[in-house]
Amino acid sequence: MSAKLEALSHNLQKHLGDRVKSLKVALGEVTIEVDAADYLDVMQALRDQPELSFEELIDLCGVDYSTYGNVQRVGGRFAVVSHLLSISHNWRLRVRCFAMDDNFPSLPSVTSVWSSVNWFEREAFDLLGIVFPGHNDLRRILTDYGFVGHPFRKDFPISGYVEMRYDPEQQRVIYQPVTIEPREVTPRIVREATYGNV
């Protein structure tokens, strides 16, 4: 581990203590996991502590871990993963936090800490259904207002639930149940007889 990553790991343990459930260093990056109850306080500390100084939130995304790694996951299904940057210390950090309830995933909004997270939280809400209490404008950002479901959930059907089309008789766009037959397409791979032989 480099001296910079070691210093970051030490500072995280020093200032966050027991609020860090796990700290992993892999591929030159530090990832911490925190509980939903500590999420907002940890994010505030990551920005405000001079020895951490994560001034910038680069990205926040929602993740559905229901079949992560092609195996059933033990624990929470939905998580929020944030990528932070400290310009003054020139280091990065990944923060993961799992929502406590899989039926109604919810984590506090960090828009009061970094205003740049506004649209990222809206995207996670729209595509995965993760709710962010404290967000002042939490509404869909990529799907239509009447859209049913959350398309990035792993149990969402590939063809969706409804389709829309323009009806010339009614002279408006209408929604109707999907008429596409579900099918599985397996790509055909053609290789030469000598493929892989040296």
Side-chain angles (χ1 to χ4, degrees):
M1 179 176 3
S2 73
K4 183 183 284 190
L5 294 180
E6 197 169 314
L8 173 58
S9 299
H10 172 74
N11 290 347
L12 289 166
Q13 292 290 355
K14 176 182 172 184
H15 293 288
L16 302 179
D18 294 339
R19 295 181 290 180
V20 176
K21 284 177 51 180
S22 75
L23 187 150
K24 295 179 183 171
V25 179
L27 304 172
E29 296 179 347
V30 177
T31 302
I32 64 171
E33 189 174 316
V34 298
D35 279 327
D38 298 325
Y39 178 63
L40 188 56
D41 291 336
V42 165
M43 297 303 255
Q44 188 81 44
L46 288 171
R47 186 194 69 181
D48 295 342
Q49 283 295 333
E51 288 186 301
L52 298 171
S53 293
F54 287 98
E55 303 98 347
E56 190 173 334
L57 183 136
I58 298 171
D59 187 26
L60 178 143
C61 63
V63 182
D64 181 353
Y65 281 97
S66 60
T67 57
Y68 186 74
N70 294 323
V71 294
Q72 287 297 112
R73 178 170 173 80
V74 176
R77 175 180 174 183
F78 296 102
V80 167
V81 179
S82 304
H83 294 92
L84 307 177
L85 171 67
S86 172
I87 297 168
S88 55
H89 296 294
N90 190 25
W91 53 36
R92 296 170 186 264
L93 176 69
R94 180 181 301 115
V95 180
R96 180 175 36 225
C97 182
F98 282 89
M100 292 175 18
D101 183 3
D102 290 345
N103 295 321
F104 187 75
S106 172
L107 288 169
S109 174
V110 292
T111 52
S112 61
V113 183
W114 295 283
S115 59
S116 62
V117 78
N118 182 353
W119 283 21
F120 296 132
E121 288 183 350
R122 285 181 61 190
E123 180 182 54
F125 165 70
D126 186 8
L127 300 178
L128 285 159
I130 301 171
V131 177
F132 295 92
H135 193 289
N136 63 353
D137 188 24
L138 195 62
R139 57 191 163 105
R140 292 194 180 267
I141 192 169
L142 294 170
T143 58
D144 190 29
Y145 294 114
F147 192 86
V148 176
H150 304 284
F152 277 12
R153 288 188 176 192
K154 292 186 179 176
D155 54 3
F156 190 82
I158 293 173
S159 60
Y161 297 110
V162 296
E163 61 189 20
M164 62 183 224
R165 67 175 178 83
Y166 179 77
D167 187 347
E169 293 175 10
Q170 298 181 34
Q171 295 186 346
R172 66 181 183 92
V173 173
I174 61 167
Y175 291 88
Q176 63 190 35
V178 174
T179 58
I180 299 171
E181 294 279 328
R183 62 188 175 117
E184 186 174 324
V185 179
T186 306
R188 186 172 160 233
I189 299 171
V190 178
R191 293 196 173 122
E192 299 172 3
T194 58
Y195 179 81
N197 298 336
V198 179

